[in-house]
């Protein structure tokens, strides 16, 4: 049985066709620059060479048609016809407090996506376009939407409420929502699977460290706090996002630099983070190279990042009255021993002790998972590569009862 996982951005459509029986990827790819000059479809069929197909996709529906044509293509396709696709699982961003778990797509779900355009201005419209494109191209195929915010909906009010006049929470729904929920949920499930223990009774801190980074506190398998907020700007510093700063800085800089709200937003989202701090790059690989060559600002950016993640871990241990496991995932979390070491070295008060040898071994970023803490460590520290597409495919199968068919 095959499930197509779709992840749409404003001008891109990523896809992965999975055989859910053995959870293998049959093909994956991306249509980039939809609606712009010379869009390209990059298609990677399992076991065959990657193909790059210049195309003329003017919108997401045309891009979706092209993806289907590619998947059934006689030379580089991986299925004979579209009917082999049992269902589509969509990644969706913002479901506000209306979406508590993955859902079968219907008019109500589409209306919720639309209602939340303001909270997810870049992603929600694109997610809806992706769903409508699939409805047009494959009208009889059932669909599921898996929201990035859903996993965090179990947070208690004291964790999601900002200390602003309460009427504005009621009027504008301004509160913490959190993001990367599918990733935090996947690595939490996988950790318990690896350990062979139930989720009840455990306290876990998951660190999704990539271009965007977020930390979550997870008690009994449920999220009780997370570092991203109303938008993905809050929390630790990221590639180009500033993370949490004194809110007075916003009005101060708007006055000093004469920024409009849009310019201020661009400054905090695109020009800040480790890029703004270092002046070198948003990519941690470049930062390490620069720091090794003596670039002080690159070294400072790395220190600021590690220190901030460490503070969140300390805070979340307090939020849960302890921590049993810490999990690192995503591009940086999976691949960068020095960051993991930099974060963990100040956590001895919690009983965290990582093995230098094990920590340095797990760098490959090719699905390697495992424990990096010593046997004496009071807290188990693990690396678990994230797999949001697999989580989406699993939810799709479960919600549609595809296994029973
Ligand atoms: P996104 O949030 O866009 O999915 P990723 O999770 O891929 O981003 O994370 C991107 C970050 O991870 C970059 O800073 C990059 O330096 C780092 N990274 C990704 N892959 C590797 C690798 N193989 N080795 C070292 N660092 C990596």
């Amino acid at each position: 049985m095959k499930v197509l996982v779709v992840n749409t951005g404003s001008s891109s459509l990523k896809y992965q066709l999975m055989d859910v029986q053995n959870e293998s990827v049959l093909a994956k790819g991306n249509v980039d620059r939809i609606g712009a000059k010379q869009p390209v479809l990059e298609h990677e069929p399992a076991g065959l060479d990657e193909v790059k197909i210049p195309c003329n996709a003017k919108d997401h529906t045309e891009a979706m048609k092209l993806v289907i044509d590619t998947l059934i293509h006689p030379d580089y396709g991986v299925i004979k016809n579209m009917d082999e696709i049992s269902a589509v699982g969509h990644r969706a961003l913002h479901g506000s407090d209306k979406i508590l778990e993955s859902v079968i797509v219907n008019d109500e779900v589409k209306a919720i996506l639309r209602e939340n355009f303001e909270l997810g201005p870049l992603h929600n419209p694109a997610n809806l376009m992706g769903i409508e494109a699939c409805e047009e191209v494959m009208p009889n195929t059932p669909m599921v939407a898996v929201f990035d915010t859903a996993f965090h909906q179990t947070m208690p009010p004291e964790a999601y409420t900002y200390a602003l006049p309460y009427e504005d929470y009621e009027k504008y729904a301004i509160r913490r929502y959190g993001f990367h929920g599918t990733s935090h949920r996947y690595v939490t499930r996988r950790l318990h699977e690896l350990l062979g223990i139930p989720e009840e009774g455990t306290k876990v801190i998951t660190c999704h460290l990539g271009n965007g980074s977020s930390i979550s506190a997870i008690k009994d398998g449920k999220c009780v706090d997370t570092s991203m907020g109303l938008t993905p700007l809050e929390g630790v510093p990221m590639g180009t996002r500033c993370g949490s700063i004194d809110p007075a800085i916003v009005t101060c800089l708007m006055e000093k630099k004469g920024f409009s709200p849009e310019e201020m937003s661009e400054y905090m989202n695109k020009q800040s983070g480790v890029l703004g701090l270092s002046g070198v790059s948003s990519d941690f690989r470049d930062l390490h190279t620069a720091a090794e060559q003596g670039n002080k600002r690159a070294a400072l950016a790395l220190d600021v990042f590690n220190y901030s993640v460490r503070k969140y871990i300390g805070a979340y241990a307090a939020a849960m009255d302890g921590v049993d496991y810490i999990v690192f995932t995503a591009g940086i979390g999976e691949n960068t021993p020095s960051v993991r070491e930099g974060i963990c070295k100040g956590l001895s008060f919690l009983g965290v002790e990582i093995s230098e040898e094990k920590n340095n071994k797990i760098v490959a970023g090719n699905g390697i998972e495992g424990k990096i803490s010593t046997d004496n460590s009071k807290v188990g520290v693990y690396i678990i590569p994230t797999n949001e597409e697999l989580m989406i495919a699993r939810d799709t199968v479960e919600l549609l009862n595809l296994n029973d068919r």
Side-chain angles (χ1 to χ4, degrees), residues 14 180 208-213 239 282-286 329-336 363-365 386 388:
K14 286 191 195 136
H180 294 139
H208 176 111
L209 310 179
N211 270 325
S213 296
S282 63
D283 192 302
F284 274 57
R285 286 167 286 201
D286 299 336
T329 193
I332 301 160
E334 290 166 28
N335 296 298
T336 319
V363 290
T386 192
E388 288 155 293

PDB file of all heavy atoms in Angstrom, residues 14 180 208-213 239 282-286 329-336 363-365 386 388, ligand 1:
ATOM      1  N   LYS A  14       7.041  19.645  -2.125  1.00  0.00           N
ATOM      2  CA  LYS A  14       7.901  18.483  -1.864  1.00  0.00           C
ATOM      3  C   LYS A  14       7.013  17.259  -1.746  1.00  0.00           C
ATOM      4  O   LYS A  14       5.906  17.354  -1.212  1.00  0.00           O
ATOM      5  CB  LYS A  14       8.639  18.653  -0.531  1.00  0.00           C
ATOM      6  CG  LYS A  14       9.751  19.654  -0.591  1.00  0.00           C
ATOM      7  CD  LYS A  14      10.589  19.545   0.681  1.00  0.00           C
ATOM      8  CE  LYS A  14      11.455  20.763   0.815  1.00  0.00           C
ATOM      9  NZ  LYS A  14      11.518  21.347   2.129  1.00  0.00           N
ATOM     10  N   HIS A 180       7.104  22.464  14.786  1.00  0.00           N
ATOM     11  CA  HIS A 180       7.885  21.217  14.671  1.00  0.00           C
ATOM     12  C   HIS A 180       7.220  20.073  15.443  1.00  0.00           C
ATOM     13  O   HIS A 180       7.888  19.117  15.845  1.00  0.00           O
ATOM     14  CB  HIS A 180       9.314  21.367  15.261  1.00  0.00           C
ATOM     15  CG  HIS A 180      10.215  22.306  14.535  1.00  0.00           C
ATOM     16  ND1 HIS A 180      11.061  23.162  15.215  1.00  0.00           N
ATOM     17  CD2 HIS A 180      10.417  22.530  13.224  1.00  0.00           C
ATOM     18  CE1 HIS A 180      11.754  23.866  14.343  1.00  0.00           C
ATOM     19  NE2 HIS A 180      11.386  23.507  13.115  1.00  0.00           N
ATOM     20  N   HIS A 208      14.973  19.851  18.753  1.00  0.00           N
ATOM     21  CA  HIS A 208      14.989  19.840  17.287  1.00  0.00           C
ATOM     22  C   HIS A 208      15.863  21.018  16.868  1.00  0.00           C
ATOM     23  O   HIS A 208      15.454  22.178  16.956  1.00  0.00           O
ATOM     24  CB  HIS A 208      13.555  19.987  16.760  1.00  0.00           C
ATOM     25  CG  HIS A 208      13.472  20.077  15.260  1.00  0.00           C
ATOM     26  ND1 HIS A 208      12.932  19.070  14.471  1.00  0.00           N
ATOM     27  CD2 HIS A 208      13.865  21.042  14.398  1.00  0.00           C
ATOM     28  CE1 HIS A 208      13.009  19.422  13.202  1.00  0.00           C
ATOM     29  NE2 HIS A 208      13.560  20.618  13.129  1.00  0.00           N
ATOM     30  N   LEU A 209      17.100  20.719  16.439  1.00  0.00           N
ATOM     31  CA  LEU A 209      18.046  21.786  16.125  1.00  0.00           C
ATOM     32  C   LEU A 209      18.385  21.742  14.637  1.00  0.00           C
ATOM     33  O   LEU A 209      19.160  20.895  14.184  1.00  0.00           O
ATOM     34  CB  LEU A 209      19.330  21.629  16.961  1.00  0.00           C
ATOM     35  CG  LEU A 209      19.139  21.421  18.480  1.00  0.00           C
ATOM     36  CD1 LEU A 209      20.478  21.254  19.179  1.00  0.00           C
ATOM     37  CD2 LEU A 209      18.347  22.574  19.102  1.00  0.00           C
ATOM     38  N   GLY A 210      17.773  22.631  13.867  1.00  0.00           N
ATOM     39  CA  GLY A 210      18.035  22.705  12.423  1.00  0.00           C
ATOM     40  C   GLY A 210      18.115  24.168  12.024  1.00  0.00           C
ATOM     41  O   GLY A 210      18.514  24.998  12.839  1.00  0.00           O
ATOM     42  N   ASN A 211      17.732  24.491  10.806  1.00  0.00           N
ATOM     43  CA  ASN A 211      17.675  25.909  10.426  1.00  0.00           C
ATOM     44  C   ASN A 211      16.748  26.655  11.359  1.00  0.00           C
ATOM     45  O   ASN A 211      17.020  27.763  11.788  1.00  0.00           O
ATOM     46  CB  ASN A 211      17.163  26.046   9.001  1.00  0.00           C
ATOM     47  CG  ASN A 211      18.305  26.018   8.026  1.00  0.00           C
ATOM     48  OD1 ASN A 211      19.380  26.529   8.328  1.00  0.00           O
ATOM     49  ND2 ASN A 211      18.085  25.412   6.881  1.00  0.00           N
ATOM     50  N   GLY A 212      15.604  26.022  11.630  1.00  0.00           N
ATOM     51  CA  GLY A 212      14.730  26.489  12.697  1.00  0.00           C
ATOM     52  C   GLY A 212      14.925  25.522  13.855  1.00  0.00           C
ATOM     53  O   GLY A 212      15.085  24.320  13.628  1.00  0.00           O
ATOM     54  N   SER A 213      14.959  26.026  15.076  1.00  0.00           N
ATOM     55  CA  SER A 213      15.191  25.139  16.223  1.00  0.00           C
ATOM     56  C   SER A 213      14.111  25.329  17.266  1.00  0.00           C
ATOM     57  O   SER A 213      13.667  26.450  17.505  1.00  0.00           O
ATOM     58  CB  SER A 213      16.549  25.448  16.875  1.00  0.00           C
ATOM     59  OG  SER A 213      17.594  25.174  15.977  1.00  0.00           O
ATOM     60  N   GLY A 239      19.113  29.879  12.583  1.00  0.00           N
ATOM     61  CA  GLY A 239      19.950  30.253  11.440  1.00  0.00           C
ATOM     62  C   GLY A 239      19.875  31.749  11.171  1.00  0.00           C
ATOM     63  O   GLY A 239      20.894  32.454  11.191  1.00  0.00           O
ATOM     64  N   SER A 282      24.382  31.328   7.984  1.00  0.00           N
ATOM     65  CA  SER A 282      23.363  30.742   8.864  1.00  0.00           C
ATOM     66  C   SER A 282      23.629  29.253   9.042  1.00  0.00           C
ATOM     67  O   SER A 282      22.974  28.588   9.828  1.00  0.00           O
ATOM     68  CB  SER A 282      21.967  30.933   8.247  1.00  0.00           C
ATOM     69  OG  SER A 282      21.899  30.238   7.020  1.00  0.00           O
ATOM     70  N   ASP A 283      24.574  28.725   8.268  1.00  0.00           N
ATOM     71  CA  ASP A 283      24.846  27.288   8.281  1.00  0.00           C
ATOM     72  C   ASP A 283      25.918  26.961   9.323  1.00  0.00           C
ATOM     73  O   ASP A 283      27.014  27.542   9.295  1.00  0.00           O
ATOM     74  CB  ASP A 283      25.301  26.852   6.877  1.00  0.00           C
ATOM     75  CG  ASP A 283      25.325  25.344   6.750  1.00  0.00           C
ATOM     76  OD1 ASP A 283      26.038  24.684   7.531  1.00  0.00           O
ATOM     77  OD2 ASP A 283      24.612  24.822   5.871  1.00  0.00           O
ATOM     78  N   PHE A 284      25.594  26.024  10.207  1.00  0.00           N
ATOM     79  CA  PHE A 284      26.510  25.727  11.313  1.00  0.00           C
ATOM     80  C   PHE A 284      27.847  25.147  10.840  1.00  0.00           C
ATOM     81  O   PHE A 284      28.853  25.284  11.526  1.00  0.00           O
ATOM     82  CB  PHE A 284      25.832  24.792  12.330  1.00  0.00           C
ATOM     83  CG  PHE A 284      25.022  25.546  13.350  1.00  0.00           C
ATOM     84  CD1 PHE A 284      24.001  26.394  12.953  1.00  0.00           C
ATOM     85  CD2 PHE A 284      25.294  25.439  14.708  1.00  0.00           C
ATOM     86  CE1 PHE A 284      23.258  27.116  13.881  1.00  0.00           C
ATOM     87  CE2 PHE A 284      24.558  26.150  15.650  1.00  0.00           C
ATOM     88  CZ  PHE A 284      23.539  26.991  15.243  1.00  0.00           C
ATOM     89  N   ARG A 285      27.840  24.496   9.667  1.00  0.00           N
ATOM     90  CA  ARG A 285      29.109  23.972   9.164  1.00  0.00           C
ATOM     91  C   ARG A 285      30.065  25.119   8.864  1.00  0.00           C
ATOM     92  O   ARG A 285      31.250  25.069   9.215  1.00  0.00           O
ATOM     93  CB  ARG A 285      28.882  23.126   7.902  1.00  0.00           C
ATOM     94  CG  ARG A 285      28.268  21.783   8.218  1.00  0.00           C
ATOM     95  CD  ARG A 285      27.756  21.095   6.992  1.00  0.00           C
ATOM     96  NE  ARG A 285      26.522  21.716   6.520  1.00  0.00           N
ATOM     97  CZ  ARG A 285      25.633  21.132   5.742  1.00  0.00           C
ATOM     98  NH1 ARG A 285      25.853  19.906   5.322  1.00  0.00           N
ATOM     99  NH2 ARG A 285      24.539  21.749   5.375  1.00  0.00           N
ATOM    100  N   ASP A 286      29.536  26.192   8.241  1.00  0.00           N
ATOM    101  CA  ASP A 286      30.372  27.360   7.928  1.00  0.00           C
ATOM    102  C   ASP A 286      30.843  28.044   9.218  1.00  0.00           C
ATOM    103  O   ASP A 286      31.967  28.538   9.297  1.00  0.00           O
ATOM    104  CB  ASP A 286      29.580  28.384   7.098  1.00  0.00           C
ATOM    105  CG  ASP A 286      29.111  27.799   5.778  1.00  0.00           C
ATOM    106  OD1 ASP A 286      29.744  26.838   5.307  1.00  0.00           O
ATOM    107  OD2 ASP A 286      28.094  28.293   5.237  1.00  0.00           O
ATOM    108  N   THR A 329      17.831  16.038  17.683  1.00  0.00           N
ATOM    109  CA  THR A 329      17.424  15.668  16.327  1.00  0.00           C
ATOM    110  C   THR A 329      17.563  16.850  15.371  1.00  0.00           C
ATOM    111  O   THR A 329      17.910  17.950  15.784  1.00  0.00           O
ATOM    112  CB  THR A 329      15.966  15.129  16.333  1.00  0.00           C
ATOM    113  OG1 THR A 329      15.713  14.501  15.070  1.00  0.00           O
ATOM    114  CG2 THR A 329      14.931  16.226  16.551  1.00  0.00           C
ATOM    115  N   ALA A 330      17.313  16.592  14.071  1.00  0.00           N
ATOM    116  CA  ALA A 330      17.394  17.561  12.953  1.00  0.00           C
ATOM    117  C   ALA A 330      18.856  17.856  12.597  1.00  0.00           C
ATOM    118  O   ALA A 330      19.772  17.389  13.276  1.00  0.00           O
ATOM    119  CB  ALA A 330      16.617  18.830  13.253  1.00  0.00           C
ATOM    120  N   GLY A 331      19.034  18.622  11.501  1.00  0.00           N
ATOM    121  CA  GLY A 331      20.359  18.811  10.884  1.00  0.00           C
ATOM    122  C   GLY A 331      21.515  18.989  11.861  1.00  0.00           C
ATOM    123  O   GLY A 331      22.508  18.270  11.796  1.00  0.00           O
ATOM    124  N   ILE A 332      21.376  19.926  12.789  1.00  0.00           N
ATOM    125  CA  ILE A 332      22.471  20.192  13.731  1.00  0.00           C
ATOM    126  C   ILE A 332      22.475  19.136  14.845  1.00  0.00           C
ATOM    127  O   ILE A 332      23.517  18.572  15.185  1.00  0.00           O
ATOM    128  CB  ILE A 332      22.321  21.604  14.342  1.00  0.00           C
ATOM    129  CG1 ILE A 332      22.329  22.667  13.241  1.00  0.00           C
ATOM    130  CG2 ILE A 332      23.417  21.873  15.357  1.00  0.00           C
ATOM    131  CD1 ILE A 332      21.725  23.990  13.663  1.00  0.00           C
ATOM    132  N   GLY A 333      21.306  18.856  15.393  1.00  0.00           N
ATOM    133  CA  GLY A 333      21.212  17.898  16.500  1.00  0.00           C
ATOM    134  C   GLY A 333      21.748  16.527  16.129  1.00  0.00           C
ATOM    135  O   GLY A 333      22.373  15.846  16.939  1.00  0.00           O
ATOM    136  N   GLU A 334      21.534  16.126  14.865  1.00  0.00           N
ATOM    137  CA  GLU A 334      21.960  14.788  14.437  1.00  0.00           C
ATOM    138  C   GLU A 334      23.434  14.738  14.045  1.00  0.00           C
ATOM    139  O   GLU A 334      24.048  13.682  14.086  1.00  0.00           O
ATOM    140  CB  GLU A 334      21.122  14.338  13.215  1.00  0.00           C
ATOM    141  CG  GLU A 334      19.682  14.052  13.556  1.00  0.00           C
ATOM    142  CD  GLU A 334      18.794  13.946  12.318  1.00  0.00           C
ATOM    143  OE1 GLU A 334      19.300  13.571  11.242  1.00  0.00           O
ATOM    144  OE2 GLU A 334      17.588  14.255  12.433  1.00  0.00           O
ATOM    145  N   ASN A 335      23.969  15.889  13.598  1.00  0.00           N
ATOM    146  CA  ASN A 335      25.274  15.853  12.927  1.00  0.00           C
ATOM    147  C   ASN A 335      26.426  16.581  13.598  1.00  0.00           C
ATOM    148  O   ASN A 335      27.539  16.535  13.085  1.00  0.00           O
ATOM    149  CB  ASN A 335      25.133  16.447  11.523  1.00  0.00           C
ATOM    150  CG  ASN A 335      24.227  15.614  10.660  1.00  0.00           C
ATOM    151  OD1 ASN A 335      24.525  14.456  10.403  1.00  0.00           O
ATOM    152  ND2 ASN A 335      23.110  16.181  10.246  1.00  0.00           N
ATOM    153  N   THR A 336      26.166  17.290  14.691  1.00  0.00           N
ATOM    154  CA  THR A 336      27.219  18.175  15.186  1.00  0.00           C
ATOM    155  C   THR A 336      27.619  17.869  16.632  1.00  0.00           C
ATOM    156  O   THR A 336      27.041  18.408  17.580  1.00  0.00           O
ATOM    157  CB  THR A 336      26.761  19.651  15.047  1.00  0.00           C
ATOM    158  OG1 THR A 336      26.098  19.784  13.800  1.00  0.00           O
ATOM    159  CG2 THR A 336      27.922  20.603  15.099  1.00  0.00           C
ATOM    160  N   VAL A 363      27.802  11.035  13.749  1.00  0.00           N
ATOM    161  CA  VAL A 363      27.884  12.289  12.999  1.00  0.00           C
ATOM    162  C   VAL A 363      27.356  12.135  11.587  1.00  0.00           C
ATOM    163  O   VAL A 363      27.232  13.107  10.853  1.00  0.00           O
ATOM    164  CB  VAL A 363      29.346  12.819  12.887  1.00  0.00           C
ATOM    165  CG1 VAL A 363      29.844  13.301  14.221  1.00  0.00           C
ATOM    166  CG2 VAL A 363      30.255  11.763  12.308  1.00  0.00           C
ATOM    167  N   ALA A 364      27.072  10.912  11.186  1.00  0.00           N
ATOM    168  CA  ALA A 364      26.880  10.662   9.762  1.00  0.00           C
ATOM    169  C   ALA A 364      25.599  11.250   9.188  1.00  0.00           C
ATOM    170  O   ALA A 364      25.531  11.559   8.017  1.00  0.00           O
ATOM    171  CB  ALA A 364      26.913   9.167   9.501  1.00  0.00           C
ATOM    172  N   GLY A 365      24.583  11.426  10.012  1.00  0.00           N
ATOM    173  CA  GLY A 365      23.348  12.018   9.509  1.00  0.00           C
ATOM    174  C   GLY A 365      22.627  11.135   8.514  1.00  0.00           C
ATOM    175  O   GLY A 365      21.867  11.606   7.688  1.00  0.00           O
ATOM    176  N   THR A 386      15.135  12.653  12.869  1.00  0.00           N
ATOM    177  CA  THR A 386      13.707  12.890  12.744  1.00  0.00           C
ATOM    178  C   THR A 386      13.196  12.335  11.412  1.00  0.00           C
ATOM    179  O   THR A 386      13.979  12.135  10.471  1.00  0.00           O
ATOM    180  CB  THR A 386      13.377  14.390  12.889  1.00  0.00           C
ATOM    181  OG1 THR A 386      11.971  14.527  13.046  1.00  0.00           O
ATOM    182  CG2 THR A 386      13.853  15.221  11.702  1.00  0.00           C
ATOM    183  N   GLU A 388       9.664  13.280   9.725  1.00  0.00           N
ATOM    184  CA  GLU A 388       8.301  13.814   9.738  1.00  0.00           C
ATOM    185  C   GLU A 388       7.422  13.154   8.671  1.00  0.00           C
ATOM    186  O   GLU A 388       6.239  12.912   8.893  1.00  0.00           O
ATOM    187  CB  GLU A 388       8.350  15.338   9.523  1.00  0.00           C
ATOM    188  CG  GLU A 388       8.885  16.054  10.753  1.00  0.00           C
ATOM    189  CD  GLU A 388       9.525  17.391  10.458  1.00  0.00           C
ATOM    190  OE1 GLU A 388      10.595  17.402   9.802  1.00  0.00           O
ATOM    191  OE2 GLU A 388       8.965  18.417  10.871  1.00  0.00           O
TER     192      GLU A 388
HETATM  193  P1  LIG B   1      15.695  22.609   8.133  1.00  0.00           P
HETATM  194  O1  LIG B   1      15.247  23.256   9.413  1.00  0.00           O
HETATM  195  O2  LIG B   1      15.729  23.544   6.973  1.00  0.00           O
HETATM  196  O3  LIG B   1      15.049  21.265   7.845  1.00  0.00           O
HETATM  197  P2  LIG B   1      18.065  21.065   8.792  1.00  0.00           P
HETATM  198  O4  LIG B   1      17.373  20.258   9.836  1.00  0.00           O
HETATM  199  O5  LIG B   1      18.541  20.373   7.570  1.00  0.00           O
HETATM  200  O6  LIG B   1      17.228  22.342   8.390  1.00  0.00           O
HETATM  201  O7  LIG B   1      19.310  21.766   9.497  1.00  0.00           O
HETATM  202  C1  LIG B   1      20.181  22.625   8.832  1.00  0.00           C
HETATM  203  C2  LIG B   1      21.423  22.835   9.715  1.00  0.00           C
HETATM  204  O8  LIG B   1      21.966  21.556  10.001  1.00  0.00           O
HETATM  205  C3  LIG B   1      22.515  23.654   9.072  1.00  0.00           C
HETATM  206  O9  LIG B   1      22.980  24.629   9.987  1.00  0.00           O
HETATM  207  C4  LIG B   1      23.617  22.657   8.780  1.00  0.00           C
HETATM  208  O10 LIG B   1      24.870  23.191   9.072  1.00  0.00           O
HETATM  209  C5  LIG B   1      23.337  21.510   9.716  1.00  0.00           C
HETATM  210  N1  LIG B   1      23.621  20.242   9.007  1.00  0.00           N
HETATM  211  C6  LIG B   1      22.800  19.623   8.166  1.00  0.00           C
HETATM  212  N2  LIG B   1      23.382  18.485   7.685  1.00  0.00           N
HETATM  213  C7  LIG B   1      24.593  18.400   8.237  1.00  0.00           C
HETATM  214  C8  LIG B   1      25.693  17.477   8.153  1.00  0.00           C
HETATM  215  N3  LIG B   1      25.628  16.382   7.392  1.00  0.00           N
HETATM  216  N4  LIG B   1      26.774  17.749   8.887  1.00  0.00           N
HETATM  217  C9  LIG B   1      26.840  18.841   9.681  1.00  0.00           C
HETATM  218  N5  LIG B   1      25.843  19.744   9.787  1.00  0.00           N
HETATM  219  C10 LIG B   1      24.742  19.541   9.096  1.00  0.00           C
END
